[in-house]
Amino acid sequence: MKLAIPKERRANEARVAATPDTVKRLKGLGLEVVVEAGAGEGASIPDRAFADAGAAIAPDAKTALADADIVFKVARPLTAAEGGPDELALLKPGAILVAMLDPYRNKDLVAALAEKGVAAFAMELAPRITRAQSMDVLSSQANLAGYKAVLDAAAEFGRAFPMMMTAAGTIAPAKVMIMGVGVAGLQAIATARRLGAVVSATDVRPATKEQVESLGGTFIAVEDEEFKQAQTAGGYAKEMSDEYKKKQAALTAETIKKQDIVITTALIPGRPAPRLISEEMVATMKPGSVIVDLAVEAGGNCALSEPGKVVVKHGVKIVGHLNVPGRLAVDASALYARNLFNFVGLLIDKKEGAIRIDAEDEIIKGTLLTRDGRIVHPAFAPSAAPSGAGGA
């Protein structure tokens, strides 16, 4: 069985889907591993390191992907419609593709994968269950994004983070607010605290209050009855009512004007990022303040953030870097590669030495998008409603 690791070709993508360590482990599963030349350059992994680990080095993507039974990628494959090299065309029918496919925003790609006959697994759809923790690419990458967001804020901020007592006077600590307390938010709280900032955080999920306080932060939220029910069984935030949003916005507006740095991390799967910071709120912040919007690629939590840019509005720097985990490509690649290695073990029958997709496995069922020419994931499959059916 051949497993291919092509070079990532999307803009701002420096990560790679394997490391020399995982190549050795994949070889231990009986897989023939082929890595495209230069695939690891962005993550500081030379071809020689892959070769020393037992991988064959292919001169180009066509050679690497030829007859590959399994393909590991970081980002979704490029298609002819996007104007670049058609990576999808290089996959053989029946091949297994494991990557972060961003299916909610790329439904045309999901259809194209089905038409190609690819068995495509979207790793960001892995269920939030204990058994899947070692495969959770969202958590592994968000953890680094939360850390990097604080460093990006510090780089743009014109003051120091910690309180400093000097002969020339005392410097007050920076005030940092984290909006959205998932994996990225928790890491941002911990990092800002380590740098000496006074940290507060807000989230609509009640369970996060204790987490924030355990890290030394102050929790800020409208804690009414709706707040107590604002979490899905999978641990994600629910969409809140307009009434709650108004109350929370009023509290946020009052709090945000006192902050030096605000880092936003709020995302809702399958929906545009919730708008947390309005232009009016930005205008109330102190000159020189910084906002880092980690949700900018999903529409942004801040009304004024711009994808891929650092802009200044109302005297406030608004940071909208793309692919923040990819800006820590060495560590991000190492964690992602381990996620994929842990996942591929579910697809291989070690006794038979063959691929076996167990459609009843909860993790397989949660991540499998397309198979045998069909879209099989219930969230993306064509509606089964009879013709003429309607709704109010």
Side-chain angles (χ1 to χ4, degrees):
M1 293 180 291
K2 176 180 174 181
L3 187 149
I5 314 290
K7 183 176 181 178
E8 299 295 325
R9 287 177 165 79
R10 289 193 175 275
N12 305 303
E13 188 53 82
R15 292 170 291 181
V16 62
T19 63
D21 174 64
T22 61
V23 165
K24 291 177 183 177
R25 298 185 187 197
L26 291 166
K27 295 278 289 183
L29 294 176
L31 294 165
E32 172 196 352
V33 182
V34 179
V35 178
E36 183 184 353
E41 286 180 356
S44 302
I45 306 173
D47 292 343
R48 173 50 54 191
F50 282 121
D52 289 346
I57 305 300
D60 52 40
K62 183 177 180 179
T63 306
L65 294 170
D67 297 320
D69 301 294
I70 303 173
V71 177
F72 279 1
K73 279 185 56 59
V74 178
R76 66 191 187 280
L78 286 164
T79 64
E82 294 177 280
D86 191 350
E87 294 178 303
L88 183 57
L90 298 177
L91 302 178
K92 73 174 185 180
I96 291 173
L97 173 65
V98 183
M100 290 187 287
L101 299 173
D102 196 8
Y104 286 110
R105 289 188 288 176
N106 295 280
K107 294 184 180 180
D108 287 346
L109 174 64
V110 178
L113 288 165
E115 184 178 351
K116 181 72 176 179
V118 172
F121 290 89
M123 289 302 296
E124 61 269 64
L125 300 181
R128 291 288 176 89
I129 59 176
T130 301
R131 193 165 63 89
Q133 285 181 348
S134 64
M135 311 166 201
D136 188 346
V137 299
L138 289 182
S139 291
S140 73
Q141 303 305 292
N143 190 55
L144 291 169
Y147 165 79
K148 185 62 171 172
V150 177
L151 300 189
D152 287 339
E156 299 292 344
F157 191 44
R159 288 179 39 213
F161 264 51
M163 181 173 71
M164 296 184 183
M165 301 180 71
T166 74
T170 299
I171 297 173
K175 294 181 179 178
V176 177
M177 182 180 183
I178 313 298
M179 304 186 75
V181 188
V183 174
L186 289 170
Q187 183 57 249
I189 293 168
T191 302
R193 287 281 296 158
R194 283 195 293 268
L195 290 178
V198 175
V199 182
S200 59
T202 182
D203 196 289
V204 297
R205 294 168 297 168
T208 60
K209 179 177 181 179
E210 184 177 345
Q211 295 171 324
V212 169
E213 292 174 347
S214 71
L215 290 171
T218 300
F219 188 72
I220 298 170
V222 176
E223 299 185 43
D224 59 10
E225 286 302 313
E226 183 176 358
F227 171 79
K228 295 175 183 177
Q229 306 297 325
Q231 184 167 320
T232 69
Y236 295 102
K238 288 183 179 179
E239 181 76 12
M240 304 300 283
S241 69
D242 289 341
E243 182 182 354
Y244 184 89
K245 287 178 182 177
K246 288 179 183 178
K247 291 188 288 186
Q248 183 70 3
L251 178 60
T252 299
E254 188 60 32
T255 306
I256 209 169
K257 65 177 68 173
K258 305 170 187 175
Q259 306 301 312
D260 298 303
I261 291 168
V262 179
I263 296 172
T264 69
T265 74
L267 291 167
I268 300 173
R271 302 285 297 275
R275 190 54 51 82
L276 304 178
I277 302 176
S278 65
E279 181 172 0
E280 291 74 20
M281 293 179 189
V282 174
T284 68
M285 296 180 71
K286 294 176 284 187
S289 300
V290 176
I291 296 171
V292 179
D293 191 345
L294 284 182
V296 69
E297 291 173 89
N301 294 144
C302 176
L304 300 179
S305 60
E306 297 183 24
K309 296 181 181 179
V310 178
V311 296
V312 178
K313 301 290 179 71
H314 302 289
V316 177
K317 280 189 177 180
I318 304 172
V319 180
H321 291 311
L322 300 175
N323 189 9
V324 175
R327 300 176 68 236
L328 292 169
V330 174
D331 290 326
S333 296
L335 296 179
Y336 182 74
R338 289 176 202 150
N339 291 147
L340 265 56
F341 169 76
N342 292 328
F343 178 78
V344 82
L346 300 177
L347 307 178
I348 297 175
D349 187 325
K350 296 178 183 178
K351 291 183 180 179
E352 299 294 329
I355 294 172
R356 183 176 67 88
I357 298 176
D358 179 4
E360 297 306 312
D361 183 285
E362 188 175 1
I363 300 172
I364 296 296
K365 189 183 298 184
T367 55
L368 184 59
L369 280 179
T370 63
R371 187 184 186 189
D372 299 330
R374 297 183 300 114
I375 300 172
V376 297
H377 196 288
F380 305 96
S383 174
S387 178

